[in-house]
Amino acid sequence: MRRRPSNPGADEDDDDDDDTTTTSLHSSGSHSPRASVDAPTPTLQRHLDRTSSPGKAWGPFPSTETDGPYAASWQEVIPRIQGHGGEMSGLPMLRRSRVRSPWSCSLATFSTTCLAALFLFAIVHSFVARQIDEKGCEMSYTRPAYAKLSDFDTEHTRFASKYATYLYREGGVDEETKVKGVPVLFIPGNAGSYKQVRPIAGEAAYYFRDVIQRDSKALKAGSSNLDFFTVDFNEDITAFHGQTMLDQAEYLNEAVAYILSLYHDRRMSARDPDLPDPTSVILLGHSMGGIVARTMLTMPNYQSNSINTIITMSAPHARPPVSFDADIVSTYKQINDHWRHAYAQKWANNNPLWHVTLISIAGGGLDTVVPSDYASLASLVPGTHGFTVFTSSIPDVWTGTDHLSILWCDQFRKVIARSLFDVIDVNRPGQTKPRAERMRMFKRWYLPGMESVAEKSLPQKEPTTLLTLQDNSNSIIAQGKRLTLRNLGRSKKPTAHLLPVPPHGTPSGKQFTLMTDQKLDAPGESGKLEVLFCSVFPLQAGQSASLFSMNMDLSGDSSGSTRLACKNAAVDAIHLPASTRTSKQPFDQSTPLSYLQYSLDDIAEHQFVAVVDKAVNPTAGWVIAEFSDVSDSKIQTNLGLGRLLTTGLHQSLPAFRPMMMDIKIPALHSSLLAYELTVGNQACGEETELFTPLVRQHISEPYESKYFVNVKKASINMHGIAPFMPPPLKGRTNAEGLSIQLWSDPTCDMSLEVSLKVDMLGSFGKLFMRYRTVFCAFPLLIVALVLRKQFKVHDESGVFMSFTDSLDLCIRRSIPVVFLALSVLSMSMARSSSGPPRSPSPGLFRWGRNATEPAVDFTKNDLLLGSQDPFFWFLVPVFGLISVGICVAVNYAALGLVHVFSVIYGLVQHRSGWTRVGNRRPTATPFFAHSSPRRRLITTSILLLLVATLIPYQFAYMVACIVQIATCTRALRFARETVRPYHQFFFLQSLTYQKRSGVHYNFYNYVHSLLIIMLWILPINIPVLVVWVHNLAVHWLTPFSSHHNILSIMPFVLLVETLTSGRMIPRINSYLRHITNILLFTLAIYAAVYGITYAYLLHHVVNLLAAWLVILHFSASSFSLSGLALGLEGDEVEGAGSASSKKRP
């Protein structure tokens, strides 16, 4: 009786005369012998011998097979042959369907893939070609010099051999290596260089030498030089590894302590000894350096009050850029919880961050490395301690920046450097002004000045100018009239034009606006235009006009005069980009417009607004000033998003309208949509227009503004409510939505048409930055459903269908149902997210909250696609469709790779699949020959030992993937070696080979599908592996303190090792098959719901699946302690799947 081995690569025992039987796992869990059959007749056997090819040997007929598509009983086949006289006429009745090619593609799969490719092309094309912000940064130039702090060695920090700290000096400006100013520490970002400090530090050095050093008033107020320090992290990759971020924060706290100690050492310090020694350092952080800066305040070695000002650039504060590492997700949570808890305290004494100001500056749509939505501080810091602003909003910058240009952008670096000089005060130990004063300065430098939080300086100032006018002056403009000056200096002498301030309490509400193309003079300046807010000042007898620093007498030789006590408004002047017929971009090198805007409450104490034309000769220049009703200048639209999508917004502005119109659209607040704005032609008739329409789009949270000059058409996009973003600290929502401010020449007296419509194609590109990681999670959902179908069919019929066939069945059945359910779930969660805040539930795993934390659930937008608007439910099936297409592409790419390796493997293999050695019977080449158990045990143990001590488990996983590719290559090669066309041999030989081919292709399909799921997990493990390799490259050999859990990789290692022996997973017909079903379905749902926010856990879920598959494999093996002992002694244990065979004597 002949025993049929279960190993696809094992040789058949042609010469075993003993009655041996093989066993298989049945539904009852018991083993039953396989039925025997009669051997073929001698005539039939002789015919088989004659038809055998030279050098090949075909064994006896296989026994009855009752499980599998190629099963056939010789007891059924032979009578049919004998009934037909042994003729071949009976062959058509016995032909079995050939194994379907894994390259085959059904119409449903092909159509789905084409549709997915179309959507993916639309997203990518829109991202790179539509709704693209213009680049306006100018290059900056410096002459850097770096002095290394060599004494900051291992006595001060354990990271001295890996990191270094430098003092920056600008060549030719300040080459003194002693510290003498206010310390500023620059922290580079992910893979950043310490040399990236040079643009800002160089500008600060030049500005101090050319401006501050010559301004005695600024020096007296506490301004001083800035000592810029920078840290060399050896281009550490912090975005992928939480422990690296913690290491950097620990090192930086020690660096701060060392830097402050330099100012106490008179050998290293050149500061004025009368000044207090610094006790704090200003931090500048780029990208992940900004997160490390916030981490410093949570570390055990942080010195209290050693940091009070943090400015970050393109830093993802709200959430980690990728969630592939468990450490970085947990570290982010700890940091953000610390900051939220601190600002949730009722009393300042209980808040360790009360003195800290945090400013987050984002680059906008040009930043394609980190979504600028993540730079928001709304969920972390209250408005009294920090805010988020975009570079396109900053006055005189007015351009977006990419992730790196934000450091060297010339316009932006000037604003950063000058704002630092405005907040420092060397007369205080903290080296900065009080927190409230710092916030006012930062808002003045970084915000346009038209926000509701913008503080006007005019009400807090005292009158500084005494304006004297003729009593019979006819320059007073009538109430409600507009002042328009088309030229300056027409009177050839200074002239004051007075606009009466409306009485306080006007029912409709009034506001004052002024726009000019001239710079507004500050007190003492001798320009062309000055704007004053004045009150009547009756000069009493004995009073002196010397009470005022400026005395402006415009009365001439008149005997009667009126005196006005005035405040200069230049301090509140807002810069707007010039808009003329030749203007193209807001950042063009043009003199900006000056704009003033006051509510009536701000100027209620004054009687007049004096616009003083100081030009003594006719000169070009224009001024428009007016009081207007607030209700006339604001248009509130109540259109819903659905109507805006279908019909758009069309607004006709009347001919007699205020200079500035503000159109508010509360329904537009999503960062996933883009729009097209159209402004009609401005026709001014005979008179030449003073300026062309100027548009500012803005939202209030975060502070993002964009300007469009000489506008006819404009592309509108914003960073409003974005996916996965945590809610604000106080549970507020962005109810104001999008606002569009339009400045137009009111002297044209012509109506103006404005329309806004959704740019559907442009909106596709907005999905790319917000949902990049969805393509690491959703395809795994597809793969899990495909594997679930494969295992189900295999347990029922014995056929392990190909990945392509299973995917085709899933496309027709399970995938549409699953994504329909996920779409409903998405709408439900979006409605819940947009509702009023509720107390958070404990949640899954460890993400619960205790009773001392605030009631806002900051994780409510973490699930599924993180959408806060039910309108975007359709994104779930769209991404599902694209994921199907990606899975098809990856499957075919894997097939192609394995087939190429299979061809190479066949060329290297000098022996064919069956060979004859001397006079022995032909034997099979062991494609899946077993190594000894001792060798396998030693190899596995060494690998796990290395994981536990030196290497991260991600490295072992990559090795497992490589081994799995090799297993697939050998499995394919062996399956193809056993395929023979049925017409070349007798029909029984054909049937035998079809049967063998089916078994071998079952195994190949099985290992190929496991390779696919392992490849989808590989990107999750690669980032940490890259960090580990980088540490080796910089000779940092200290092992990771994380990622050494052998349980995270042992199931993968055991499974891959088992598959190298060619063992096919057994069929399970008992209730245990439901465990496989549940595990795969759990993986699919988890990948969809949690996979984007907690992607690192996908590895562990698949690891659990691998452990279960290992159990199934071992359940079908003849494993025993005695057998293991024999194996360790060097003897191979023969059992199921063994490649050994007895030889005929």
Side-chain angles (χ1 to χ4, degrees), residues 2-234:
R2 177 179 178 274
R3 181 178 57 83
R4 184 174 181 268
S6 61
N7 180 4
D11 188 13
E12 297 188 54
D13 188 5
D14 295 343
D15 307 309
D16 189 2
D17 297 327
D18 297 332
D19 292 334
T20 53
T21 59
T22 59
T23 61
S24 61
L25 191 66
H26 293 274
S27 59
S28 61
S30 61
H31 295 75
S32 60
R34 188 173 294 174
S36 60
V37 297
D38 295 333
T41 62
T43 304
L44 183 57
Q45 183 64 56
R46 286 194 299 272
H47 184 80
L48 288 174
D49 293 337
R50 289 195 302 268
T51 56
S52 297
S53 301
K56 305 288 184 179
W58 311 109
F61 298 105
S63 59
T64 302
E65 185 74 288
T66 59
D67 50 348
Y70 304 97
S73 172
W74 296 111
Q75 294 169 330
E76 298 174 357
V77 173
I78 294 174
R80 298 180 187 175
I81 307 168
Q82 296 173 346
H84 288 79
E87 299 295 329
M88 300 292 292
S89 57
L91 275 178
M93 300 173 58
L94 303 173
R95 293 175 185 172
R96 300 293 180 182
S97 59
R98 297 184 181 182
V99 178
R100 186 177 178 183
S101 171
W103 294 94
S104 62
C105 182
S106 68
L107 180 60
T109 303
F110 179 77
S111 303
T112 303
T113 305
C114 290
L115 192 57
L118 181 63
F119 273 107
L120 188 60
F121 173 79
I123 291 175
V124 175
H125 178 266
S126 175
F127 176 71
V128 300
R130 297 182 67 90
Q131 291 278 341
I132 304 299
D133 296 338
E134 295 292 337
K135 298 180 179 180
C137 281
E138 297 179 5
M139 183 57 67
S140 57
Y141 301 94
T142 59
R143 289 182 290 179
Y146 305 94
K148 185 176 181 180
L149 304 183
S150 302
D151 292 338
F152 185 45
D153 52 20
T154 52
E155 294 183 1
H156 299 87
T157 175
R158 64 189 180 99
F159 297 102
S161 61
K162 185 180 182 182
Y163 302 144
T165 304
Y166 294 84
L167 172 66
Y168 178 90
R169 291 306 186 200
E170 183 67 16
V173 177
D174 184 9
E175 299 180 358
E176 175 63 62
T177 57
K178 291 186 177 181
V179 296
K180 55 186 176 181
V182 176
V184 180
L185 178 60
F186 173 78
I187 308 174
N190 181 60
S193 169
Y194 68 98
K195 296 181 179 180
Q196 291 174 321
V197 71
R198 61 185 183 272
I200 298 176
E203 173 61 27
Y206 281 106
Y207 187 75
F208 178 78
R209 184 194 67 177
D210 299 337
V211 179
I212 301 296
Q213 206 166 18
R214 302 177 183 181
D215 189 344
S216 58
K217 184 177 179 181
L219 293 174
K220 186 177 180 180
S223 191
S224 176
N225 193 13
L226 297 176
D227 293 328
F228 277 88
F229 297 87
T230 182
V231 180
D232 181 11
F233 283 137
N234 266 316

Side-chain angles (χ1 to χ4, degrees), residues 11 41 130 260 482 494 784 803 837 840 973 1001:
D11 188 13
T41 62
R130 297 182 67 90
L260 293 176
R482 178 186 296 124
F803 188 91
R973 183 66 184 174
Y1001 266 106

Side-chain angles (χ1 to χ4, degrees), residues 3 13 16 20 930 1118 1123 1131-1142:
R3 181 178 57 83
D13 188 5
D16 189 2
T20 53
H930 280 207
S1118 59
D1131 299 329
E1132 293 189 6
V1133 181
E1134 182 179 344
S1138 175
S1140 62
S1141 58
K1142 295 183 179 180

Side-chain angles (χ1 to χ4, degrees), residues 48-49 51-59 911-916 921-923 977 980 985 989 993:
L48 288 174
D49 293 337
T51 56
S52 297
S53 301
K56 305 288 184 179
W58 311 109
R911 295 176 298 176
S912 62
W914 297 79
T915 59
R916 180 183 298 274
R921 295 286 302 269
T923 59
E977 281 287 328
R980 293 294 182 272
F985 308 101
Q989 295 170 324
Y993 265 87

Side-chain angles (χ1 to χ4, degrees), residues 566-737:
C566 303
K567 299 179 182 180
N568 190 282
V571 66
D572 289 330
I574 299 170
H575 283 185
L576 296 177
S579 182
T580 64
R581 289 292 179 183
T582 60
S583 299
K584 294 182 179 180
Q585 299 296 338
F587 47 79
D588 290 341
Q589 296 297 317
S590 304
T591 303
L593 302 177
S594 297
Y595 180 69
L596 290 174
Q597 179 175 311
Y598 291 101
S599 66
L600 196 56
D601 293 337
D602 294 330
I603 57 176
E605 62 179 287
H606 305 289
Q607 286 84 44
F608 297 98
V609 180
V611 180
V612 183
D613 177 5
K614 299 195 295 184
V616 296
N617 294 306
T619 186
W622 53 266
V623 181
I624 300 176
E626 64 181 8
F627 282 94
S628 59
D629 292 338
V630 175
S631 58
D632 292 339
S633 62
K634 292 186 178 180
I635 300 176
Q636 185 85 15
T637 62
N638 297 317
L639 296 179
L641 184 57
R643 185 173 177 184
L644 287 170
L645 287 171
T646 55
T647 63
L649 171 67
H650 302 277
Q651 195 72 42
S652 179
L653 305 183
F656 301 99
R657 61 183 181 273
M659 175 174 54
M660 189 275 293
M661 299 292 296
D662 191 359
I663 304 174
K664 295 186 176 295
I665 317 172
L668 303 186
H669 48 67
S670 174
S671 61
L672 298 180
L673 293 177
Y675 312 90
E676 288 288 345
L677 176 70
T678 303
V679 179
N681 292 327
Q682 177 177 274
C684 288
E686 298 179 359
E687 302 262 7
T688 304
E689 62 187 0
L690 299 178
F691 64 96
T692 55
L694 170 66
V695 168
R696 171 188 175 233
Q697 65 145 98
H698 70 98
I699 55 176
S700 59
E701 185 59 52
Y703 297 116
E704 181 184 22
S705 298
K706 293 181 183 179
Y707 295 90
F708 304 94
V709 298
N710 190 24
V711 64
K712 295 181 177 63
K713 289 187 177 181
S715 297
I716 306 293
N717 55 79
M718 56 188 160
H719 294 81
I721 297 179
F724 305 109
M725 290 296 292
L729 275 179
K730 297 181 181 180
R732 297 191 303 265
T733 58
N734 190 7
E736 295 184 2

Side-chain angles (χ1 to χ4, degrees), residues 791 936 940 1006 1010 1049-1059 1063-1066 1068 1076 1079 1102-1117 1119:
F791 277 103
R936 295 170 60 188
T940 303
Y1006 171 55
L1010 292 183
I1049 193 61
M1050 181 184 293
F1052 283 113
V1053 173
L1054 295 178
L1055 178 61
V1056 169
E1057 178 66 24
T1058 301
L1059 295 177
R1063 293 177 179 173
M1064 180 61 188
I1065 193 168
I1068 307 296
T1076 309
L1079 284 174
V1102 177
N1103 187 52
L1104 183 62
L1105 173 66
W1108 172 244
L1109 296 181
V1110 170
I1111 293 174
L1112 293 183
H1113 275 284
F1114 283 173
S1115 68
S1117 66
F1119 177 81

